[in-house]
Amino acid sequence: MKIETIAVHAGREIDPTTGAVMPPIHLSTTFQRAADGSYPNGYSYIRGDNPTRRALEEALIALEGGVAAATFGSGMAAIMAIFQALRTGDHVIIPEEIYFGTGKLVRELFGPWGLEHSAVDMSNLAAVEAAMQPNTRLVWVETPSNPLLKMTDIAAVAEIAHAAGALCACDSTWPTPMLQRTLALGADFSVHATTKYLGGHSDVLGGAVITNTESDFWTRLLLVQRTGGAVPSPFDCWLTLRGIRTLPYRMRAHCENARKVAHFLADHPKVCVVHYPGLESHPGHAIAAKQMSDFGGMLSFQVCPDKLHSGMENALRVANRTKIFTQATSLGGVESLIEHRYSVEGQNSKTPDNLLRLSVGLEHPDDLIGDLEQALASEIVLSNADQADFRGFYPRKSA
Ligand SMILES: Cc1ncc(COP(=O)(O)O)c(C=O)c1O
C-alpha cells in the first residue's frame, strides 16, 4: 500500500462494540483482570499500554515500515529514552549541528551520568569513522539538521556504525516518514517529535521511537517507556493519530510552499544565504535528492547587515515585521512560523546571529512570499557596492 492509504487506515479498526468508524479515546487507567490472573484483552494499566496508544504505535510502525514503536509524552522524552537505554561508560557520536535540546541533554544530563560523547561533522564520513571508539554504542543522526539543514547520508553513517557493532538512531522529525524512509535506509531507530508534522496542528506534544529490530536494546527502551512512564495521554495519542491521517497531503503542500519561498529568498538582495536542501546550490542537495522524496517544509536564511545595522539587528527587524508568519518557536503546523534561533538558544549558541528559521505552513505561497517581501523591505537601500561587500562577508545563496 502507498503511504497515503497507510496514513488513513493504519491503527484504525471499526470499534467492535459500537461500530464507530473512528476510534474512541480510551481514558480508563485500569483494565479488568480475569479469574486466572490474566488480562484477556492484553491491557492491565494505562502506563504500560492502552488501546489508544497502541493504535498510534501501530500507525507509526506501518508508516515507518518498522516492527515496533514506543510513544512518549514529548519528542525530548523519546530522545531521552534512547540515551537512558545506554549504560554508563558507553560512548555516543552526535552531530555538531543538532537540535539544541538534544545537544544539551547529552552534554548536561548524560555527561555527568557517565555517558561519553563526541560531536562530529556528519557530512564528513571520515570524521565519523575516526570518532568511533571501542565503547561506541550509538551514532545519532539528525537530517536535515536544525537549524542549518545540513544533510547526513543515513545509509553511509549506519554502515559505519554497524561495522563497529554500534547502533544508529536518526531524528526524522523534519522529513517525516512521508519524505524519508529512515529505517529502510539502514538506521535502527527512527525518532520523532510527533509534536511537529505528525500531529501537524501545533496543539499536541509527543514523541516516538520506531525500530526494525526488537533487540535487547529495544527491551531496555521499553523499560524506560513503561517503568519510567513519560508516556503520552490517550487524548494526545488520539490527536496525533488524527494528524497522521492527512500527513502525506500536508507534507506535499509544505514542500511546495517551502520551495517557492526558498527560491524567492535566494534571489533577494538582502538575503545572504538560504539553507534549503531543495536548492541545487545547497551542499547537501545531492544527498537530499538521493534519500528524500522531497525537500521538506523547513528552511532558514541569513539576513545581510547594512551600513546602519548588523545582520542580527536586521534579522530581528524582519522577524518583528512579518504579519502572516507568526514569530514563535516550534514547527510543522499548518501555520507559518518565523524564529530567530540564536536568541532562543542563548549565548552558547553556534547558530549564526543573523539567521531566521521558517516553518513554512499551508497558507497560499503568494501570501507568504508577499509577507516576507514587505518584512524585508527597509528604508535603508543597499548600493550595489555595499551588496558586493556583504557578499564578501557571507557566501551567497547557499551554505
Ligand atoms: C528535530 C527535533 N527533535 C526533537 C525536538 C523536541 O521535540 P519536543 O518539543 O516534542 O520535545 C524538536 C523540537 O523542536 C526538534 O526540532
Side-chain angles (χ1 to χ4, degrees):
M1 272 195 286
K2 306 279 189 212
I3 197 159
E4 291 80 356
T5 315
I6 294 171
V8 170
H9 290 281
R12 186 180 73 86
E13 55 186 32
I14 307 296
D15 182 42
T17 49
T18 62
V21 172
M22 286 301 161
I25 306 173
H26 288 275
L27 294 174
S28 185
T29 55
T30 188
F31 298 81
Q32 191 178 32
R33 200 170 180 190
D36 64 359
S38 68
Y39 291 95
N41 297 305
Y43 301 104
S44 61
Y45 183 59
I46 187 171
R47 172 161 37 80
D49 200 1
N50 70 81
T52 320
R53 191 169 98 205
R54 195 178 291 178
L56 172 60
E57 291 175 352
E58 275 166 13
L60 290 165
I61 293 167
L63 278 179
E64 284 281 14
V67 299
T71 51
F72 294 85
S74 70
M76 286 313 296
I79 291 169
M80 180 137 158
I82 294 196
F83 290 106
Q84 279 176 323
L86 294 165
R87 294 175 196 273
T88 305
D90 284 346
H91 171 254
V92 297
I93 298 178
I94 60 170
E96 269 170 2
E97 153 81 5
I98 187 171
Y99 168 57
F100 191 69
T102 311
K104 194 175 165 77
L105 193 77
V106 171
R107 284 190 310 272
E108 295 181 21
L109 192 67
F110 288 101
W113 280 2
L115 188 74
E116 294 173 29
H117 80 275
S118 309
V120 304
D121 173 3
M122 289 267 163
S123 60
N124 179 349
L125 296 176
V128 180
E129 222 159 351
M132 298 297 295
Q133 297 179 183
N135 59 341
T136 305
R137 285 293 316 281
L138 178 78
V139 181
W140 185 270
V141 173
E142 182 184 301
T143 180
S145 69
N146 182 359
L148 286 170
L149 290 110
K150 289 195 176 165
M151 295 301 308
T152 298
D153 186 332
I154 299 172
V157 171
E159 205 178 307
I160 294 172
H162 293 158
L167 296 163
C168 176
C170 175
D171 187 330
S172 320
T173 299
W174 285 25
T176 80
M178 172 65 187
L179 307 181
Q180 184 175 282
R181 314 302 302 152
T182 301
L183 298 178
L185 285 163
D188 302 285
F189 307 104
S190 184
V191 185
H192 293 279
T194 56
T195 318
K196 317 297 177 184
Y197 288 106
L198 290 167
H201 297 76
S202 302
D203 54 11
V204 58
L205 180 70
V209 184
I210 303 103
T211 186
N212 48 15
T213 329
E214 287 189 88
S215 58
D216 289 349
F217 188 88
W218 184 253
T219 307
R220 269 179 77 75
L221 188 131
L222 290 182
L223 182 72
V224 175
Q225 183 207 31
R226 295 173 181 183
T227 309
V231 291
S233 75
F235 185 50
D236 289 350
C237 293
W238 186 87
L239 276 175
T240 307
L241 203 47
R242 188 168 72 159
I244 285 174
R245 303 300 178 213
T246 54
L247 175 76
Y249 289 93
R250 284 187 287 106
M251 288 316 293
R252 279 190 197 144
H254 282 298
C255 292
E256 192 184 320
N257 286 359
R259 184 168 20 256
K260 289 184 175 156
V261 168
H263 281 285
F264 161 75
L265 290 170
D267 288 338
H268 199 286
K270 290 180 189 164
V271 173
C272 313
V273 194
V274 179
H275 305 274
Y276 185 61
L279 293 177
E280 278 179 25
S281 52
H282 186 282
H285 177 71
I287 293 174
K290 183 179 76 166
Q291 74 185 17
M292 293 171 75
S293 61
D294 206 338
F295 302 103
M298 295 299 297
L299 61 94
S300 58
F301 65 102
Q302 290 173 239
V303 183
C304 296
D306 57 37
K307 279 196 170 150
L308 297 181
H309 304 99
S310 66
M312 173 160 155
E313 284 167 334
N314 281 343
L316 288 168
R317 276 146 50 104
V318 171
N320 287 329
R321 278 183 190 169
T322 53
K323 298 186 169 82
I324 296 176
F325 281 86
T326 303
Q327 190 175 183
T329 197
S330 201
L331 59 113
V334 293
E335 74 295 341
S336 290
L337 302 177
I338 187 164
E339 187 182 31
H340 183 247
R341 284 300 296 172
Y342 179 81
S343 47
V344 170
E345 293 175 359
Q347 280 192 336
N348 295 331
S349 167
K350 289 189 181 136
T351 299
D353 64 8
N354 63 340
L355 179 135
L356 293 172
R357 191 185 78 179
L358 299 182
S359 171
V360 180
L362 303 184
E363 300 92 340
H364 195 285
D366 292 351
D367 293 330
L368 295 177
I369 289 170
D371 193 30
L372 291 169
E373 195 158 28
Q374 66 78 28
L376 281 159
S378 156
E379 60 283 4
I380 298 152
V381 180
L382 301 181
S383 70
N384 285 344
D386 289 336
Q387 283 185 35
D389 280 352
F390 300 141
R391 279 172 206 172
F393 264 159
Y394 297 96
R396 189 137 164 88
K397 286 192 180 161
S398 174

